[in-house]
Amino acid sequence: MTLGQQTMQPVGIIESCYPDKFGIPRQPGLARHATAILHLLPPFDDPDCVRDIDGFSHLWIHFLFHASPTRWTPLIRPPRLGGNARTGVFASRSTHRPNRLGQSVVELAGVETGASDRPGGRQTGRHSGVRLLLRGHDLLDGTPVMDIKPYLPWVDAVPQARAGYAPAPPPRHAVMFSDEAEQQLEQRSDSATLRALIEEVLAQDPRPAYHAARPADGKRQYGVRLVDVDVRFTARTQPDGSLTMEVAAIVTV
């Protein structure tokens, strides 16, 4: 058997609430209020390509880590191990992979066909575009999607499977909003959903693993881009050892 280089063509591109890599949950499904639009590209923007897809509640999205470097190494430092211990690249979900391929299970929130007035909407030829509305994703804005498949819970879910060094979901931390942040939220029409997204993202502590491994004194400020805002926050370790994420300001960018 002779293996040569294979050429793949993206079937779509993601319009995401995550404009930057920093802050994206490390697994899909951890931030249910994270929304995205998957715009299918020609010639895959034919409504026939998604016929009956609305009968499935979730999809497998196979994509390219387009913002990750092409270089890779056999050993990587997964955040779950504190960013220090090493494990094999194929024993991880690291973005630094030989072919930069990723996969995520996402919720299918809707299907749109026809002309779109959304930013990034595409309208070509005899087709007016096909858009899949996604929720609970972990996809960077502009991500090329290589394939889409229905998620089948009776075969894709294996509840008794072993999960190695990641046996349980990451801990969730308390999130607090300053008076300034509360006022900035109140001025937005999407305040409820934006608040929920901020809480879901910060509750997982998006700081670098080597920062998260140390007690936090609340002095260092971080920024995470969500939708069209820069969420500025600090982290503080409480006397009982718990961690609180404190939102200082929400700045429109």
Side-chain angles (χ1 to χ4, degrees):
M1 180 177 178
T2 301
L3 297 178
Q5 290 187 344
Q6 304 295 315
T7 300
M8 293 191 296
Q9 178 181 355
V11 303
I13 191 166
I14 291 290
E15 179 185 339
S16 170
C17 63
Y18 298 125
D20 292 332
K21 290 188 294 182
F22 181 71
I24 297 180
R26 296 185 176 104
Q27 303 296 339
L30 296 179
R32 189 179 182 279
H33 285 83
T35 59
I37 304 170
L38 170 48
H39 298 273
L40 296 190
L41 299 174
F44 314 108
D45 57 343
D46 186 330
D48 281 347
C49 288
V50 295
R51 183 185 298 181
D52 298 327
I53 200 171
D54 55 356
F56 299 91
S57 66
H58 291 73
L59 303 173
W60 283 108
I61 302 296
H62 302 269
F63 60 93
L64 188 69
F65 288 113
H66 69 295
S68 295
T70 56
R71 67 181 184 273
W72 67 278
T73 58
L75 294 175
I76 58 93
R77 297 181 173 91
R80 181 56 74 96
L81 295 179
N84 293 316
R86 298 189 182 192
T87 191
V89 64
F90 296 136
S92 78
R93 297 193 177 193
S94 170
T95 61
H96 301 272
R97 317 190 67 79
N99 290 310
R100 297 194 295 169
L101 292 176
Q103 63 177 13
S104 293
V105 174
V106 302
E107 180 182 354
L108 177 61
V111 181
E112 293 181 347
T113 59
S116 172
D117 57 2
R118 298 175 185 270
R122 293 166 175 79
Q123 187 171 352
T124 58
R126 64 186 179 87
H127 307 306
S128 298
V130 175
R131 298 167 297 281
L132 304 183
L133 311 184
L134 311 179
R135 272 201 300 254
H137 70 95
D138 59 347
L139 302 169
L140 178 66
D141 190 54
T143 293
V145 172
M146 312 312 291
D147 201 5
I148 306 162
K149 295 186 180 73
Y151 175 85
L152 303 178
W154 51 270
V155 68
D156 292 334
V158 187
Q160 69 274 21
R162 290 184 291 115
Y165 54 81
R172 300 183 67 85
H173 307 291
V175 179
M176 298 178 58
F177 292 79
S178 68
D179 291 341
E180 179 182 351
E182 291 283 6
Q183 294 172 3
Q184 290 160 339
L185 273 177
E186 290 175 1
Q187 297 172 6
R188 296 182 59 100
S189 60
D190 62 346
S191 59
T193 54
L194 180 58
R195 173 191 288 272
L197 178 60
I198 292 172
E199 290 177 339
E200 290 170 342
V201 170
L202 296 191
Q204 299 164 61
D205 189 0
R207 298 176 301 153
Y210 61 91
H211 287 190
R214 303 192 300 261
D217 58 11
K219 295 181 179 179
R220 180 162 186 167
Q221 188 173 93
Y222 303 83
V224 58
R225 290 277 306 279
L226 298 174
V227 194
D228 62 346
V229 298
D230 181 11
V231 181
R232 299 174 184 174
F233 69 97
T234 60
R236 187 182 303 275
T237 302
Q238 303 299 327
D240 63 358
S242 63
L243 186 68
T244 300
M245 315 303 291
E246 302 173 351
V247 180
I250 300 171
V251 181
T252 302
V253 294

